[in-house]
Amino acid sequence: MEALEIALPQGSGITVHIKLVNPALPVKACYMVVSRQYVTELLVKPGDKKSFTFSCNNPEKHFILEVKKSIDCMSGPCPFGEVRLQPSTSELPALNRTFIWDVRAHKSIGLELQFSAPRLRQIGPGESCADGVTHSISGRIDTTEVRIGTFCSNGTVSRIKMQEGVKMALHLPWNIPRNISGFSIANRSSIKLPLPLAMVDKYIVSFCFGSASTGLCIIESVFEGEGSATLMSANYPGGFPEDELMTWQFVVPAHLRASVSFLNFNVSNCERKEERVEYYIPGSTTNPEVFRLEDKQPGNMAGNFNLSLQGCDQDAQSPGILRLQFQVLVQRPQNESNKTYVVDLSQERTMSLTIEPRQVKHGRRFVPGCFVCLESRTCSNNITLTAGSKYKISFLCDDLTRLWVNAEKTLSCLDHHYCSGKSFPLQVPRDVLQLPVRLHDFSWKLLMPKGKLSLMMVPSQKLQQNTHERPCNTSFGYLVASTTPGQDLYFGSFCPGGSIEKIQVKQNSSVTLRTYAPSFQQEVSRQGLTVSFIPYFKEEGIFTVTPDPKNKVYLRTPNWDRGLPALSSVSWNISVPSNQVACLTFFKERSGVVCQSGRAYMIIQEQQTRAEEIFSLEEEVLPKPSFHRHSFWVNISNCSPMNGKQLDLLFWVTLTPRTVDLAAIIGAVGGGALLLFALGLIICCVKKKKKVNKGPAVGIYNGNVNTQVPQAQKFPKRRKDNDSHVYAVIDDTMVYGHLLQDSGGSFIQPEVDTYRPFQGPMGDCPPSPPPVFSRTPTAKFTADEPAPSGPPESESEPYTFSHPSKGEVGVRETDIPLLNTQGPAETEE
C-alpha cells in the first residue's frame, strides 16, 4: 500500500494514536508496517514524524484513529474561538477517527461550547446518528468526569456552558471527508451566581434559588419554528450527581407555545433538601415555579423559559438514582387554547374523569402535541379529574380528535332495606358532554349487598343485542358485564333500536356507555338507562324481549366468545302480541357443549298454560323452529363444561300476523261434524254386529296424520304442524275399546265438550331448571292445573273432544295418547 506520514508540531499538545478496533481479538489479517516492523499500535506525540503502511487493503475494518488535544487554561490563556481539526482529515489515514479536546480550567471560569448550524440533537442510550457523526460532551466536578450527553446533528442545542473544564469528542466515520469541527469555545463568567436570576449573554439563566451552589452546566435549545426536543439529565441513564444543578434554556418564538412532558424519571433517597424541577417563565408572578418530578409539568407557555433540575444530599447507605428524560414540544396555538371549560365534580363522591390520547396514525415527520391544561398552565397529554373539586381546563392541540374522555362512577347500596325499589338514571353529566373532545367510555359500577338485591335496567329506548348477524350501526351502545370477583361474565353489547325492554342481573355489574362515532353528540338525547334495585333472584340474567314485527330479533347467550359460565342460568321472557305468532329458531342443530359434571338444559315454557318442554343440551339436537301464539320463556342452564366445549347459543324470533279466514273456519267446523257423524255411524254398526270379545272403535288423538283443510295456507303455521286436532278411527278390536262398555256390556255414549283457552295471568317468573338426573325432553305442568288435551288455541278455533264420563279410566292410559309424548309425563313443581 501507499506509505503514510503523520507529523505533529512541537508544543502543539496533540497526540495521534492508531490502535486496533478490538485489541482482545487475535491479529492475523492486518498490521501496520513501521520501519519494516509489523505492529498493531502507533503513537505519535508532539514533535514526532512517523511513516507507515498497512499490510491489508481494508485497514478501516481493523484500526481506529484517535486525535487528542489537551488545552490547559489554568496556567495560561485559553485559545478561544473556532476550533480546527488538527491535523486535518486529509493528512490522516482513512480510518474511523475521534477528535478529542480536553480543556482544563479553574472553577471560577465558565467555558461555553457554541455550535454553528446545524445545531445538535441529544440521543439516548442505544440510539445512533444517521450519518455516523456524533458529539460526546463531558464536564468535571473536581476530579470526577460527568457525561453531559451524546449528540447528533440537526437539532436545537446551540450552546452548552460548563464550569471547571470540558471534554469534547467528535467521532467521524472513515468515509466522511469533513475538515471542520463545527463548534467554537468562548469564555464566560462563572455559573456560580449569588442571585436567583442573572443575565448571561442576553439570555436569562435560572439557578438554585436562594443558594450559591455551583451549577453543573447550562444547555441552550433554540426553536425557530414548530418542533420538539428530547433532553436528558447528566449521566443518563445513570444517576445525576449528588446535590448538583443542571439548567436548560429554551428560546421560543413569541407566536408559538411550548409544553414540557417528562418521559422517564427516577428520584433518589434524599437525606437533606428535596429533589425538584424549577421553571422561570417570563411574565409569571410566581417565579420560580417549583414542581416535583411526579407533578404534571407546565404547558402552553409563550416565549422563552428555563427549566432547572436540582438534586439533593443523598442517603449514604442507600442513595438511589436521580435521572430525568423529558420532551419539549413547540407548536402554534390552537383556537381551543383560549377557551376554558369548567368540569364541576365538587358534588360528586365516586366519579373520576380522564382525558387521554387515542391511537392515531400520523404521516407527518413532526407531529404537534395534544395537551390538556389545568388553569391554562399545567399541561399534560393525559389528565385525570377526581371527585370533590371543580376544574378549569383548556386544550393545546392541533386536532382534538386525537383525544378522548373516559369516565367512571360507582353507585353502591349498603342498606338493602332502604335501596329496595329505588331507581336512579344512568346518564352522562352535562359537564362531560360539553367538552370539545369525544366521549369514549362512561362506566357505572353498580354494587349491592350479596344475596340481598338484584338489578333491573330499563333503557329509554328498547335495545338491540349486537351480533354478527345483525351488528349495531348506532353512534353509541351499552356494554353490560358482571364485576363479581372471580366471575368473568359479559352479558353483551347493546344499542338502541331493538326489542329488549329490560335487562335484569343477579349481582354486582358494570354498565358502560361506549361511543362509536362523533354523531353521538347529535344523538345524545337517546342515551339513558334507569336502574332499579329489585328483590334478589338466582339466575345470572333475565332479558325481557318484545319482538319487532318487522325484523328478526337475534339473541345470544352471554360470554359469547368464551361460553356461558359453569352452573349458570339465563332466561329470556319473550312477549307475543295477541295478533301475532312467534317463530323461535336456533342457529345450530346441536349446542356442542360437553359436560364434565352436571347437566346442561334448555326449557321452553308457555306462560299461559305453564307447559314446559325440556331439552338436554348435551345429548339432544336443538328443537326445530317452533311457533308460539302466547308469550313464552326460554331458559338455558349450563353444566360444568369441559375445556374447549363451551355452551354458546344463538337464536332468533320472528313475528307473523295471526290471520283469521272465515271459510277455513267453516271448513274446519264442517270437517269436525263429518268426523263425529262417521264416528257415531261406526259405533252403531259395531253395536249391531255384536261380535264377541271386541270393543267398539273409539276416536283418539293421532299425531301422525295431516289433514290440511283446502285454502288453509291462509292460516299461519299453528296446529297443522303437529296435527293435534286430527282424529282417526281404529278398528273395534283395539285393546282400549272395552273402556267404552259398562258392566252389563252396553256401550257408553261419549260426552261432548268445547275446549276453551286459559285466561289466567301471564307468568312473570322464569321456569325452574329440571333436576340434574332428567335426560329426555319432557312436557311439564304445574300441579294445580290439569294437563291440557292439546296446545292452546284462541277462542276463534273451537274443537270438540270425546272422553268417557263413567268407568274406571286410569290417568296413565288417558294421558299418554292425548299428549303424544315420547315417554311418561313427569309432573313436578
Side-chain angles (χ1 to χ4, degrees), residues 365-413:
R365 183 176 179 183
F366 168 70
V367 179
C370 226
F371 296 102
V372 190
C373 304
L374 279 175
E375 304 294 340
S376 300
R377 177 54 55 82
T378 303
C379 300
S380 175
N381 57 0
N382 66 80
I383 193 169
T384 298
L385 311 180
T386 56
S389 299
K390 188 175 183 178
Y391 301 91
K392 293 181 179 180
I393 63 175
S394 59
F395 296 90
L396 180 63
C397 184
D398 67 323
D399 182 7
L400 288 176
T401 62
R402 294 168 56 191
L403 296 172
W404 61 19
V405 178
N406 290 291
E408 183 178 285
K409 185 173 183 177
T410 300
L411 298 171
S412 61
C413 169

Side-chain angles (χ1 to χ4, degrees), residues 416-444:
H416 67 279
H417 295 292
Y418 172 79
C419 296
S420 181
K422 298 288 184 181
S423 299
F424 47 89
L426 301 186
Q427 287 187 318
V428 180
R430 179 179 295 180
D431 281 3
V432 178
L433 296 174
Q434 55 101 24
L435 294 175
V437 293
R438 171 183 158 187
L439 173 67
H440 177 230
D441 278 355
F442 198 107
S443 296
W444 292 270

Side-chain angles (χ1 to χ4, degrees), residues 210-273:
S211 170
S213 63
T214 301
L216 173 64
C217 70
I218 300 172
I219 298 177
E220 182 187 67
S221 181
V222 178
F223 291 87
E224 295 180 351
E226 289 187 308
S228 65
T230 299
L231 298 159
M232 284 148 268
S233 58
N235 284 340
Y236 189 89
F240 187 70
E242 181 179 9
D243 195 25
E244 279 297 331
L245 176 73
M246 185 173 181
T247 298
W248 293 266
Q249 300 171 347
F250 298 97
V251 179
V252 181
H255 68 284
L256 300 179
R257 299 292 182 268
S259 300
V260 177
S261 300
F262 284 3
L263 305 180
N264 187 23
F265 68 88
N266 283 83
V267 295
S268 58
N269 298 321
C270 294
E271 193 173 62
R272 289 187 302 140
K273 300 182 182 178

